[in-house]
Every structure is written in C-alpha cells, then in structure tokens.
Amino acid sequence: PDEIGVGELASRMKKTGAEVVKTLMKMGVMASLSEIIDYDTAALVAMELGCKVEKEVVVTIEEKLIDTTEDKEEDLIPRAPVVVVMGHVDHGKTSLLDYIRHANVVSGEAGGITQHIGAYQVDVNGSPVTFLDTPGHEAFTAMRARGAMVTDVAILVVAADDGIMPQTVESINHAKAAEIPVIVAINKMDKPTANPERIKQQLTEYSLVPEEWGGDTIICPISAKTGEGIDNLLDMVVLTAEMRELKANPNRSAHGAVIEARLDKGRGPVATLLVQNGTLHQGDVIIAGTAVGRVRAMTNDKGQKVTEAGPSVPVEIIGMSEVPEAGDDFHAVADERMARELAEQRKAEQKSSMNSNVGKVTLEDLFSQI
Ligand code: GTP
Ligand code: MG
C-alpha cells in the first residue's frame, strides 16, 4: 500500500516504463522497472507526468472482523476494578484471596503452590472487585507479567518474617511496566518474627516509600491467617480503584484476555476469560490467537452456569476449537467463517515466522537447549 513497483506505476498511469524511469532519473532516483519505490516518490513522478496517485486502502480480515471503534463517553458505565495479587513464592497470596473469599483454595492446590492464575469476583462492602491470583514461583514470570498487564491495581504481598525476595522485585517491575498502582500488603503479621519496619525500609530501595515516611505507597500490615488488617487493605484497594474512574461499555461485543486455558478430557478446551469490555454471551463466536469457537457454556468463579458476562467478569468457557494461549486477547465476532479464515491466516504467519527463525539458531541456542 505504501509502495509500488516502477513498472506497475507506469502501466497504471498508461505511460511507458522508459518515461517513468527517465522522470525518476531527473529527480535523482536511479531505479529500474523492477524496482519498488515509496509512495511519496511515486506521487512526485505522477505529478510530473500529469497523473494523480491515491493510496490504496487495504482492509485486512482482522480489520473487517474485529470492532476496534472507541467507545463514546455516554456509553461508558463504571466497572469493577481488576486487582492482581503478586509476590514471592509462599508469601501468602492465595491465603489472602482465600480469606477474602472465605473459601479454601490453598489446601486444594498441589503442594500448596499456585499452578494457575485463579480469577475471582468478590463483593467488598457492596462494590464488586475482581482478583487475579498469580504464582510466586520463579518459573512463572510470564504469568505475573500478563497478570499485571490486564489489571488496574496490584497488591504486592510481602511476608513480614521474610522480606523482599527476587519475585517481589520482579512483581514490582511488572507493575511499574504496566503503570498500575501498587498497594503493599505486609503479610504474616501474626508471626512473632514479623518485622514490618525492615520491609518498609527495603521497599524504599524500589521507590515504594510508605505514606507515613512522606511517600505515596499505601502499606497495609495484614495476616491472612487471622484476618487482621484485611478489611483495611480492601478499603484501600477500593479507594485506589475509585480514583481511576474505571469504565466500560457493556453494550458491545466482548473483548478481553485469556487468563488460563487447558485441555479437559471430557469437555475439550477450557479457557478462563476476563472480559475487559463489552458483554460475552453464550453462543458468541470468539477468536483468541489461532483458536476459534462458539461459547457453548459459561461458568462463573462460583461454579454456577451463566449466560452472559460483562466487563471485569471472569468466566470459564468451553467450545473452542483448540486450547488458546494464556495471555492472548480474545474478541467476540459476528462472522464465524471469517474468524476461521483469520485464525488460518494467523497460523500461517506463525509457521512462516517459525521457519524464518530456524536459520537463526546459533550454537549458544543449541547448547542452552540441551
Ligand atoms: P505461591 O502461590 O506458591 O507463590 O504461594 P502463595 O503466596 O500463594 O502462599 P500461600 O497462600 O500458599 O501460603 C504459603 C504458606 O504460608 C502456607 O502454609 C500458609 O498457610 C502460610 N501463610 C499464609 N499467610 C499467612 C499468615 O498471615 N500467617 C501465617 N502464620 N502463615 C501464613
Ligand atoms: Mg498461591
């Protein structure tokens, strides 16, 4: 669209190739018939030869299929904040969410280590808040990065008896990169070895300066075991979120992120989606990366069947053709056939970029794979 072959340009202007080449030469551009020139050069040549060029507008399937129009202010209504809980392994992220939900997820997890991002919506004094749990294990950098990307506020959990650890620092960096406010929850305050002052001191090294020391970081001492300080933490989360005036338009086709996905033996691909804008309905056709499908059934975070999910609502869905990738965007679309076409196109692109990478494998790559 932004360039054209010299020969092609000549034939479209119904001029000979020689005329175009000569005109180019006069402009100081040495180009043969087979060469490609940019739009601005072509426009100059055309003007010189008494023709006009217009840019060709190529509409891709993606542009035809996916509605990216901006919402009008009057269509927007307040939505629940999405809060990611991050921090080092075993510092108490799942226990905190557990306490908030009054359920018991920790004991149900393999070895007490969070394997996936769990997504839940909780009612905090009448306001809905969506929480994403993330694993603290170092292997899950990508999950923490994704978690920060789709959220509005981060709760950074730091164990009072431990301190700032590598994945604490990494979580701080993800939150900074995503430009979301960080609220620090100093957890395990019930332990006799808890030393919150030391943690506050350490935090200042990462430009998280407590309010009481003149900074703007909210720090909440809590215990996920006894529940101490958790009401205050939730108040702070709601306050921080309110300042951001988060809004969405529930009256459009849904768009959001794949939080986690897996293949279930009986039900096929199962995906947890977080709707970020619009409303997802049972029966909608969705595309996420190279996966396409019709939402056959939706379940909310309490395991109840639902037929629709609005902004900031996490739902588990079945009906995709393949397992989408966690972190992918998803879009509800009107045309299933076109969605399949786009998915095929994306697959082909993936394949060709994979092939072009093959030639670039270095010896180091090979060794690091062994
Ligand atoms: P990963 O998901 O593996 O990163 O860990 P996590 O941050 O979710 O920690 P989890 O909630 O699984 O808690 C780790 C351990 O700390 C568990 O044995 C909890 O019972 C314990 N724990 C969590 N919060 C507290 C607390 O406030 N006080 C005390 N005493 N123990 C806690
Ligand atoms: Mg956990």
PDB file of all heavy atoms in Angstrom, residues 133-163:
ATOM      1  N   ASP A 133      -5.165 -14.230  41.099  1.00  0.00           N
ATOM      2  CA  ASP A 133      -4.072 -14.804  41.884  1.00  0.00           C
ATOM      3  C   ASP A 133      -2.971 -15.159  40.897  1.00  0.00           C
ATOM      4  O   ASP A 133      -3.254 -15.566  39.772  1.00  0.00           O
ATOM      5  CB  ASP A 133      -4.582 -16.081  42.582  1.00  0.00           C
ATOM      6  CG  ASP A 133      -3.599 -16.613  43.616  1.00  0.00           C
ATOM      7  OD1 ASP A 133      -2.581 -15.947  43.888  1.00  0.00           O
ATOM      8  OD2 ASP A 133      -3.870 -17.713  44.163  1.00  0.00           O
ATOM      9  N   THR A 134      -1.738 -14.964  41.271  1.00  0.00           N
ATOM     10  CA  THR A 134      -0.636 -15.389  40.390  1.00  0.00           C
ATOM     11  C   THR A 134       0.330 -16.234  41.199  1.00  0.00           C
ATOM     12  O   THR A 134       0.432 -16.068  42.406  1.00  0.00           O
ATOM     13  CB  THR A 134       0.142 -14.191  39.811  1.00  0.00           C
ATOM     14  OG1 THR A 134       0.734 -13.462  40.893  1.00  0.00           O
ATOM     15  CG2 THR A 134      -0.750 -13.270  38.998  1.00  0.00           C
ATOM     16  N   PRO A 135       1.040 -17.132  40.555  1.00  0.00           N
ATOM     17  CA  PRO A 135       2.004 -17.954  41.282  1.00  0.00           C
ATOM     18  C   PRO A 135       3.295 -17.169  41.534  1.00  0.00           C
ATOM     19  O   PRO A 135       3.691 -16.352  40.709  1.00  0.00           O
ATOM     20  CB  PRO A 135       2.274 -19.117  40.331  1.00  0.00           C
ATOM     21  CG  PRO A 135       1.524 -18.837  39.069  1.00  0.00           C
ATOM     22  CD  PRO A 135       0.989 -17.455  39.123  1.00  0.00           C
ATOM     23  N   GLY A 136       3.909 -17.438  42.684  1.00  0.00           N
ATOM     24  CA  GLY A 136       5.129 -16.717  43.022  1.00  0.00           C
ATOM     25  C   GLY A 136       6.394 -17.431  42.589  1.00  0.00           C
ATOM     26  O   GLY A 136       7.485 -16.863  42.619  1.00  0.00           O
ATOM     27  N   HIS A 137       6.239 -18.675  42.175  1.00  0.00           N
ATOM     28  CA  HIS A 137       7.411 -19.449  41.777  1.00  0.00           C
ATOM     29  C   HIS A 137       8.122 -18.769  40.623  1.00  0.00           C
ATOM     30  O   HIS A 137       7.490 -18.212  39.729  1.00  0.00           O
ATOM     31  CB  HIS A 137       6.975 -20.861  41.373  1.00  0.00           C
ATOM     32  CG  HIS A 137       8.114 -21.803  41.201  1.00  0.00           C
ATOM     33  ND1 HIS A 137       8.832 -21.858  40.031  1.00  0.00           N
ATOM     34  CD2 HIS A 137       8.675 -22.701  42.042  1.00  0.00           C
ATOM     35  CE1 HIS A 137       9.786 -22.768  40.165  1.00  0.00           C
ATOM     36  NE2 HIS A 137       9.711 -23.287  41.383  1.00  0.00           N
ATOM     37  N   GLU A 138       9.446 -18.804  40.621  1.00  0.00           N
ATOM     38  CA  GLU A 138      10.206 -18.051  39.620  1.00  0.00           C
ATOM     39  C   GLU A 138       9.905 -18.465  38.181  1.00  0.00           C
ATOM     40  O   GLU A 138      10.061 -17.677  37.256  1.00  0.00           O
ATOM     41  CB  GLU A 138      11.716 -18.153  39.879  1.00  0.00           C
ATOM     42  CG  GLU A 138      12.223 -19.572  39.913  1.00  0.00           C
ATOM     43  CD  GLU A 138      13.749 -19.616  40.058  1.00  0.00           C
ATOM     44  OE1 GLU A 138      14.413 -18.812  39.404  1.00  0.00           O
ATOM     45  OE2 GLU A 138      14.229 -20.465  40.834  1.00  0.00           O
ATOM     46  N   ALA A 139       9.439 -19.702  37.995  1.00  0.00           N
ATOM     47  CA  ALA A 139       9.171 -20.179  36.638  1.00  0.00           C
ATOM     48  C   ALA A 139       7.999 -19.446  35.977  1.00  0.00           C
ATOM     49  O   ALA A 139       7.790 -19.565  34.781  1.00  0.00           O
ATOM     50  CB  ALA A 139       8.882 -21.677  36.662  1.00  0.00           C
ATOM     51  N   PHE A 140       7.237 -18.667  36.755  1.00  0.00           N
ATOM     52  CA  PHE A 140       6.001 -18.102  36.204  1.00  0.00           C
ATOM     53  C   PHE A 140       6.063 -16.609  35.900  1.00  0.00           C
ATOM     54  O   PHE A 140       5.078 -15.898  36.018  1.00  0.00           O
ATOM     55  CB  PHE A 140       4.825 -18.425  37.132  1.00  0.00           C
ATOM     56  CG  PHE A 140       4.554 -19.891  37.237  1.00  0.00           C
ATOM     57  CD1 PHE A 140       4.983 -20.619  38.329  1.00  0.00           C
ATOM     58  CD2 PHE A 140       3.889 -20.555  36.201  1.00  0.00           C
ATOM     59  CE1 PHE A 140       4.744 -21.988  38.417  1.00  0.00           C
ATOM     60  CE2 PHE A 140       3.646 -21.916  36.291  1.00  0.00           C
ATOM     61  CZ  PHE A 140       4.079 -22.634  37.398  1.00  0.00           C
ATOM     62  N   THR A 141       7.220 -16.160  35.480  1.00  0.00           N
ATOM     63  CA  THR A 141       7.403 -14.753  35.117  1.00  0.00           C
ATOM     64  C   THR A 141       6.336 -14.264  34.152  1.00  0.00           C
ATOM     65  O   THR A 141       5.744 -13.203  34.340  1.00  0.00           O
ATOM     66  CB  THR A 141       8.772 -14.563  34.436  1.00  0.00           C
ATOM     67  OG1 THR A 141       9.761 -14.962  35.358  1.00  0.00           O
ATOM     68  CG2 THR A 141       9.015 -13.132  34.044  1.00  0.00           C
ATOM     69  N   ALA A 142       6.081 -15.057  33.113  1.00  0.00           N
ATOM     70  CA  ALA A 142       5.140 -14.643  32.072  1.00  0.00           C
ATOM     71  C   ALA A 142       3.752 -14.432  32.660  1.00  0.00           C
ATOM     72  O   ALA A 142       3.062 -13.482  32.306  1.00  0.00           O
ATOM     73  CB  ALA A 142       5.097 -15.674  30.962  1.00  0.00           C
ATOM     74  N   MET A 143       3.362 -15.304  33.578  1.00  0.00           N
ATOM     75  CA  MET A 143       2.035 -15.184  34.193  1.00  0.00           C
ATOM     76  C   MET A 143       1.935 -13.914  35.006  1.00  0.00           C
ATOM     77  O   MET A 143       0.895 -13.252  35.003  1.00  0.00           O
ATOM     78  CB  MET A 143       1.763 -16.369  35.110  1.00  0.00           C
ATOM     79  CG  MET A 143       1.290 -17.578  34.363  1.00  0.00           C
ATOM     80  SD  MET A 143       0.497 -18.683  35.537  1.00  0.00           S
ATOM     81  CE  MET A 143       0.199 -20.067  34.461  1.00  0.00           C
ATOM     82  N   ARG A 144       3.017 -13.577  35.710  1.00  0.00           N
ATOM     83  CA  ARG A 144       2.975 -12.345  36.508  1.00  0.00           C
ATOM     84  C   ARG A 144       2.914 -11.132  35.585  1.00  0.00           C
ATOM     85  O   ARG A 144       2.164 -10.193  35.842  1.00  0.00           O
ATOM     86  CB  ARG A 144       4.182 -12.274  37.452  1.00  0.00           C
ATOM     87  CG  ARG A 144       4.024 -13.140  38.684  1.00  0.00           C
ATOM     88  CD  ARG A 144       5.161 -12.922  39.668  1.00  0.00           C
ATOM     89  NE  ARG A 144       6.428 -13.366  39.108  1.00  0.00           N
ATOM     90  CZ  ARG A 144       6.869 -14.621  39.153  1.00  0.00           C
ATOM     91  NH1 ARG A 144       6.159 -15.545  39.751  1.00  0.00           N
ATOM     92  NH2 ARG A 144       8.017 -14.961  38.620  1.00  0.00           N
ATOM     93  N   ALA A 145       3.690 -11.193  34.512  1.00  0.00           N
ATOM     94  CA  ALA A 145       3.693 -10.073  33.566  1.00  0.00           C
ATOM     95  C   ALA A 145       2.296  -9.882  32.979  1.00  0.00           C
ATOM     96  O   ALA A 145       1.774  -8.774  32.919  1.00  0.00           O
ATOM     97  CB  ALA A 145       4.704 -10.320  32.458  1.00  0.00           C
ATOM     98  N   ARG A 146       1.669 -10.997  32.568  1.00  0.00           N
ATOM     99  CA  ARG A 146       0.325 -10.937  31.985  1.00  0.00           C
ATOM    100  C   ARG A 146      -0.677 -10.426  33.002  1.00  0.00           C
ATOM    101  O   ARG A 146      -1.541  -9.621  32.692  1.00  0.00           O
ATOM    102  CB  ARG A 146      -0.121 -12.329  31.553  1.00  0.00           C
ATOM    103  CG  ARG A 146       0.472 -12.794  30.262  1.00  0.00           C
ATOM    104  CD  ARG A 146      -0.338 -13.922  29.716  1.00  0.00           C
ATOM    105  NE  ARG A 146      -0.387 -15.080  30.591  1.00  0.00           N
ATOM    106  CZ  ARG A 146       0.459 -16.089  30.541  1.00  0.00           C
ATOM    107  NH1 ARG A 146       1.457 -16.066  29.713  1.00  0.00           N
ATOM    108  NH2 ARG A 146       0.330 -17.119  31.333  1.00  0.00           N
ATOM    109  N   GLY A 147      -0.526 -10.941  34.242  1.00  0.00           N
ATOM    110  CA  GLY A 147      -1.441 -10.547  35.317  1.00  0.00           C
ATOM    111  C   GLY A 147      -1.429  -9.036  35.479  1.00  0.00           C
ATOM    112  O   GLY A 147      -2.469  -8.398  35.585  1.00  0.00           O
ATOM    113  N   ALA A 148      -0.215  -8.467  35.480  1.00  0.00           N
ATOM    114  CA  ALA A 148      -0.088  -7.019  35.668  1.00  0.00           C
ATOM    115  C   ALA A 148      -0.697  -6.266  34.491  1.00  0.00           C
ATOM    116  O   ALA A 148      -1.296  -5.211  34.646  1.00  0.00           O
ATOM    117  CB  ALA A 148       1.375  -6.632  35.845  1.00  0.00           C
ATOM    118  N   MET A 149      -0.556  -6.856  33.298  1.00  0.00           N
ATOM    119  CA  MET A 149      -0.995  -6.169  32.076  1.00  0.00           C
ATOM    120  C   MET A 149      -2.509  -5.976  31.994  1.00  0.00           C
ATOM    121  O   MET A 149      -2.970  -4.980  31.455  1.00  0.00           O
ATOM    122  CB  MET A 149      -0.551  -6.985  30.871  1.00  0.00           C
ATOM    123  CG  MET A 149      -0.041  -6.155  29.737  1.00  0.00           C
ATOM    124  SD  MET A 149       1.720  -5.973  29.899  1.00  0.00           S
ATOM    125  CE  MET A 149       2.256  -7.548  29.231  1.00  0.00           C
ATOM    126  N   VAL A 150      -3.271  -6.945  32.493  1.00  0.00           N
ATOM    127  CA  VAL A 150      -4.729  -6.854  32.325  1.00  0.00           C
ATOM    128  C   VAL A 150      -5.428  -6.279  33.554  1.00  0.00           C
ATOM    129  O   VAL A 150      -6.639  -6.324  33.656  1.00  0.00           O
ATOM    130  CB  VAL A 150      -5.366  -8.225  31.983  1.00  0.00           C
ATOM    131  CG1 VAL A 150      -4.845  -8.729  30.659  1.00  0.00           C
ATOM    132  CG2 VAL A 150      -5.135  -9.238  33.085  1.00  0.00           C
ATOM    133  N   THR A 151      -4.629  -5.739  34.508  1.00  0.00           N
ATOM    134  CA  THR A 151      -5.256  -5.305  35.750  1.00  0.00           C
ATOM    135  C   THR A 151      -5.104  -3.811  35.997  1.00  0.00           C
ATOM    136  O   THR A 151      -4.365  -3.123  35.312  1.00  0.00           O
ATOM    137  CB  THR A 151      -4.684  -6.083  36.947  1.00  0.00           C
ATOM    138  OG1 THR A 151      -3.269  -6.021  36.882  1.00  0.00           O
ATOM    139  CG2 THR A 151      -5.110  -7.518  36.922  1.00  0.00           C
ATOM    140  N   ASP A 152      -5.836  -3.338  36.992  1.00  0.00           N
ATOM    141  CA  ASP A 152      -5.891  -1.914  37.294  1.00  0.00           C
ATOM    142  C   ASP A 152      -5.090  -1.548  38.541  1.00  0.00           C
ATOM    143  O   ASP A 152      -4.654  -0.427  38.697  1.00  0.00           O
ATOM    144  CB  ASP A 152      -7.350  -1.496  37.530  1.00  0.00           C
ATOM    145  CG  ASP A 152      -8.255  -1.935  36.390  1.00  0.00           C
ATOM    146  OD1 ASP A 152      -7.984  -1.528  35.249  1.00  0.00           O
ATOM    147  OD2 ASP A 152      -9.208  -2.709  36.634  1.00  0.00           O
ATOM    148  N   VAL A 153      -4.971  -2.504  39.451  1.00  0.00           N
ATOM    149  CA  VAL A 153      -4.286  -2.265  40.719  1.00  0.00           C
ATOM    150  C   VAL A 153      -3.527  -3.550  41.067  1.00  0.00           C
ATOM    151  O   VAL A 153      -4.001  -4.640  40.770  1.00  0.00           O
ATOM    152  CB  VAL A 153      -5.302  -1.971  41.856  1.00  0.00           C
ATOM    153  CG1 VAL A 153      -4.595  -1.797  43.194  1.00  0.00           C
ATOM    154  CG2 VAL A 153      -6.151  -0.739  41.555  1.00  0.00           C
ATOM    155  N   ALA A 154      -2.352  -3.412  41.699  1.00  0.00           N
ATOM    156  CA  ALA A 154      -1.625  -4.593  42.156  1.00  0.00           C
ATOM    157  C   ALA A 154      -1.539  -4.595  43.674  1.00  0.00           C
ATOM    158  O   ALA A 154      -1.281  -3.561  44.290  1.00  0.00           O
ATOM    159  CB  ALA A 154      -0.218  -4.616  41.567  1.00  0.00           C
ATOM    160  N   ILE A 155      -1.792  -5.771  44.265  1.00  0.00           N
ATOM    161  CA  ILE A 155      -1.475  -5.954  45.683  1.00  0.00           C
ATOM    162  C   ILE A 155      -0.168  -6.737  45.709  1.00  0.00           C
ATOM    163  O   ILE A 155      -0.077  -7.829  45.149  1.00  0.00           O
ATOM    164  CB  ILE A 155      -2.562  -6.757  46.431  1.00  0.00           C
ATOM    165  CG1 ILE A 155      -3.883  -5.988  46.458  1.00  0.00           C
ATOM    166  CG2 ILE A 155      -2.099  -7.061  47.861  1.00  0.00           C
ATOM    167  CD1 ILE A 155      -5.011  -6.742  47.174  1.00  0.00           C
ATOM    168  N   LEU A 156       0.838  -6.137  46.314  1.00  0.00           N
ATOM    169  CA  LEU A 156       2.128  -6.816  46.427  1.00  0.00           C
ATOM    170  C   LEU A 156       2.205  -7.427  47.818  1.00  0.00           C
ATOM    171  O   LEU A 156       2.215  -6.708  48.821  1.00  0.00           O
ATOM    172  CB  LEU A 156       3.261  -5.807  46.229  1.00  0.00           C
ATOM    173  CG  LEU A 156       4.673  -6.370  46.329  1.00  0.00           C
ATOM    174  CD1 LEU A 156       4.983  -7.250  45.125  1.00  0.00           C
ATOM    175  CD2 LEU A 156       5.701  -5.252  46.453  1.00  0.00           C
ATOM    176  N   VAL A 157       2.211  -8.746  47.860  1.00  0.00           N
ATOM    177  CA  VAL A 157       2.257  -9.424  49.155  1.00  0.00           C
ATOM    178  C   VAL A 157       3.714  -9.704  49.532  1.00  0.00           C
ATOM    179  O   VAL A 157       4.458 -10.288  48.753  1.00  0.00           O
ATOM    180  CB  VAL A 157       1.448 -10.748  49.110  1.00  0.00           C
ATOM    181  CG1 VAL A 157       1.560 -11.495  50.440  1.00  0.00           C
ATOM    182  CG2 VAL A 157      -0.018 -10.469  48.780  1.00  0.00           C
ATOM    183  N   VAL A 158       4.095  -9.231  50.733  1.00  0.00           N
ATOM    184  CA  VAL A 158       5.453  -9.487  51.223  1.00  0.00           C
ATOM    185  C   VAL A 158       5.326 -10.084  52.619  1.00  0.00           C
ATOM    186  O   VAL A 158       4.653  -9.512  53.489  1.00  0.00           O
ATOM    187  CB  VAL A 158       6.281  -8.182  51.313  1.00  0.00           C
ATOM    188  CG1 VAL A 158       7.737  -8.513  51.631  1.00  0.00           C
ATOM    189  CG2 VAL A 158       6.185  -7.360  50.041  1.00  0.00           C
ATOM    190  N   ALA A 159       5.941 -11.227  52.842  1.00  0.00           N
ATOM    191  CA  ALA A 159       5.851 -11.855  54.160  1.00  0.00           C
ATOM    192  C   ALA A 159       6.704 -11.086  55.155  1.00  0.00           C
ATOM    193  O   ALA A 159       7.888 -10.834  54.921  1.00  0.00           O
ATOM    194  CB  ALA A 159       6.286 -13.316  54.082  1.00  0.00           C
ATOM    195  N   ALA A 160       6.085 -10.723  56.279  1.00  0.00           N
ATOM    196  CA  ALA A 160       6.742  -9.887  57.282  1.00  0.00           C
ATOM    197  C   ALA A 160       7.942 -10.576  57.927  1.00  0.00           C
ATOM    198  O   ALA A 160       8.849  -9.931  58.440  1.00  0.00           O
ATOM    199  CB  ALA A 160       5.745  -9.499  58.369  1.00  0.00           C
ATOM    200  N   ASP A 161       7.963 -11.898  57.874  1.00  0.00           N
ATOM    201  CA  ASP A 161       9.074 -12.630  58.503  1.00  0.00           C
ATOM    202  C   ASP A 161      10.154 -12.976  57.483  1.00  0.00           C
ATOM    203  O   ASP A 161      11.091 -13.686  57.778  1.00  0.00           O
ATOM    204  CB  ASP A 161       8.544 -13.913  59.158  1.00  0.00           C
ATOM    205  CG  ASP A 161       7.914 -14.860  58.139  1.00  0.00           C
ATOM    206  OD1 ASP A 161       7.521 -14.387  57.038  1.00  0.00           O
ATOM    207  OD2 ASP A 161       7.830 -16.067  58.427  1.00  0.00           O
ATOM    208  N   ASP A 162       9.973 -12.510  56.242  1.00  0.00           N
ATOM    209  CA  ASP A 162      10.930 -12.868  55.197  1.00  0.00           C
ATOM    210  C   ASP A 162      11.547 -11.618  54.567  1.00  0.00           C
ATOM    211  O   ASP A 162      12.723 -11.335  54.764  1.00  0.00           O
ATOM    212  CB  ASP A 162      10.229 -13.742  54.142  1.00  0.00           C
ATOM    213  CG  ASP A 162      11.201 -14.533  53.292  1.00  0.00           C
ATOM    214  OD1 ASP A 162      12.409 -14.499  53.615  1.00  0.00           O
ATOM    215  OD2 ASP A 162      10.771 -15.165  52.314  1.00  0.00           O
ATOM    216  N   GLY A 163      10.748 -10.857  53.836  1.00  0.00           N
ATOM    217  CA  GLY A 163      11.274  -9.628  53.243  1.00  0.00           C
ATOM    218  C   GLY A 163      11.229  -9.646  51.734  1.00  0.00           C
ATOM    219  O   GLY A 163      10.606 -10.523  51.135  1.00  0.00           O
TER     220      GLY A 163
END
